[in-house]
Structure formats: C-alpha cells, structure tokens
Amino acid sequence: MNHHVEVLLSEEEVDRRINEIGKQISKDYAGKEVHLICVLKGGSFFLCELAKRIDVPVSLDFMSVSSYGKDTKSSGVVKIVKDLDESIKGKNVLVIEDIVDSGRTLSYLMELLKDREPASLRLCTLLDKPERRVVDVKVDYTGFQVPDEFVVGYGLDYDQLYRNLPYIGVVKFD
Ligand code: IMP
Ligand code: MG
C-alpha cells in the first residue's frame, strides 16, 4: 500500500527519554545486578541504547515470540520462537519491549517468566498505546504513550521495514 512516514518523536526526544529511564533504572536497582531480557526483534534498538545508560552491572538475554495466527487474538497464546539461553531463577529481571499494544503478548510472557522464579520481574517498554489495551499488563517503565496509530522506527517495523529509523514515525497511508 502507498504510504509515507511522518516523524512523531524525534531522535533527540527519544534519546533524552532513554537517558532518563536509564538513570531511573540505575537508581531503582542500586547495589544490585539487573538482567535485561530483550524481546526480539523490536526491542533490540531500545535495549542497546538503554543498556549503555544503566550504571549497575547488566547481563543480557534474548527471546523471540510470535503469535499463533488468528487464534492468538482470543487465546492470547504466543509461541516461543527462541527461548532464553540462561535460567532467570533468582535474578532481577527487566523485560525490554518495543511497544505494548493490546497487551496480549506481554501478559502471556510475563506470566511465563514469573513461573521461572526470578528474584524480581519488571517490564520496560519504549512505547505504550493505552487506548488499545485488551489485557491488563503492569508496565514499570514507559518511554512514551503514543496515540492509536501505526508507529515505526527504533526497532518497530511495517512489513519488516523501517526498524532502523533513528526516530519514531507514524505510517500514513496515501
Ligand atoms: P500486543 O500483544 O498487541 O501488545 O502486541 C504487541 C506487538 O505487536 C509488539 O511487540 C509489536 O511487535 C507489534 N505492534 C503493535 N503495535 C505496533 C505498531 O504500531 N507498530 C509496529 N508494531 C506494532
Ligand atoms: Mg514486539
């Protein structure tokens, strides 16, 4: 479909906000280690920028999930495409996601991770679309709340494109 991308949040705005979140996380986890779990692929750009701004010891792991086709909408079940490499038992886990939309993916994922007995479990998302929420999810750190529009950049894609944009854009259909 013919479309173009308009800037919603500039590179400077996003960088500034990630700096603030990094400082907040460093404060909240002072004296502890934090284990960041990046949800691929969308969370990867945010993870890298954020991790550089956290000054407590950081370890990383990656997970990839995908929807079970149409059924996901009702069941909220997601398929683990790539599981974590390491156990999270006893660790202070912070999940890093690109966007919380309906909340289905994250509510499923957070329950699954909770069962693996981390010492603590929190969620950090770059973007939140609260208007779209269907399933309740507790978000501990949010970069920005965005309107109900399709956003791209900073890891977020439209048909696998635009993940590399250094800003958050909105897809406008012409
Ligand atoms: P949820 O389970 O509906 O919260 O789905 C969240 C996932 O859908 C995110 O991790 C994104 O991969 C994708 N998603 C939701 N909204 C957008 C958007 O505006 N742009 C790009 N991807 C999105
Ligand atoms: Mg995602």
Side-chain angles (χ1 to χ4, degrees):
M1 252 201 280
N2 277 343
H3 65 276
H4 66 280
V5 176
E6 287 175 9
V7 178
L8 178 67
L9 299 161
S10 71
E11 184 170 5
E12 291 70 27
E13 284 176 274
V14 178
D15 284 356
R16 208 178 313 129
R17 184 68 188 121
I18 295 178
N19 243 320
E20 289 173 3
I21 300 173
K23 283 201 184 113
Q24 186 62 49
I25 290 171
S26 304
K27 212 164 114 192
D28 295 350
Y29 288 84
K32 297 178 187 161
E33 291 182 10
V34 62
H35 188 62
L36 304 181
I37 292 182
C38 171
V39 185
L40 295 170
K41 303 170 188 166
S44 57
F45 287 72
F46 181 38
L47 168 88
C48 294
E49 292 306 315
L50 181 64
K52 289 190 285 185
R53 289 152 164 122
I54 296 176
D55 62 16
V56 299
V58 168
S59 54
L60 308 172
D61 207 342
F62 298 86
M63 198 163 191
S64 183
V65 296
S66 82
S67 312
Y68 265 122
K70 288 190 199 118
D71 287 346
T72 318
K73 282 234 148 71
S74 47
S75 67
V77 173
V78 298
K79 184 173 72 168
I80 298 177
V81 178
K82 183 220 170 292
D83 206 340
L84 299 170
D85 290 337
E86 290 148 46
S87 163
I88 57 168
K89 194 167 180 177
K91 293 181 183 169
N92 292 306
V93 171
L94 181 58
V95 175
I96 309 296
E97 184 46 309
D98 51 1
I99 187 164
V100 182
D101 186 31
S102 72
R104 286 189 180 98
T105 311
L106 264 298
S107 71
Y108 180 84
L109 196 62
M110 295 303 274
E111 283 305 314
L112 183 139
L113 294 175
K114 203 163 83 185
D115 287 346
R116 298 184 184 183
E117 299 173 37
S120 66
L121 179 64
R122 286 184 179 168
L123 173 60
C124 176
T125 184
L126 179 59
L127 305 177
D128 186 2
K129 269 191 210 170
E131 286 170 55
R132 298 257 305 167
R133 199 73 90 256
V134 175
V135 182
D136 202 32
V137 186
K138 184 175 175 286
V139 183
D140 300 283
Y141 304 95
T142 306
F144 302 91
Q145 294 198 341
V146 292
D148 182 10
E149 293 196 76
F150 203 80
V151 290
V152 291
Y154 238 93
L156 292 135
D157 73 301
Y158 171 57
D159 250 351
Q160 296 304 325
L161 293 174
Y162 304 123
R163 291 192 197 274
N164 60 314
L165 296 181
Y167 54 87
I168 301 292
V170 177
V171 178
K172 299 281 185 190
F173 296 94
D174 306 322

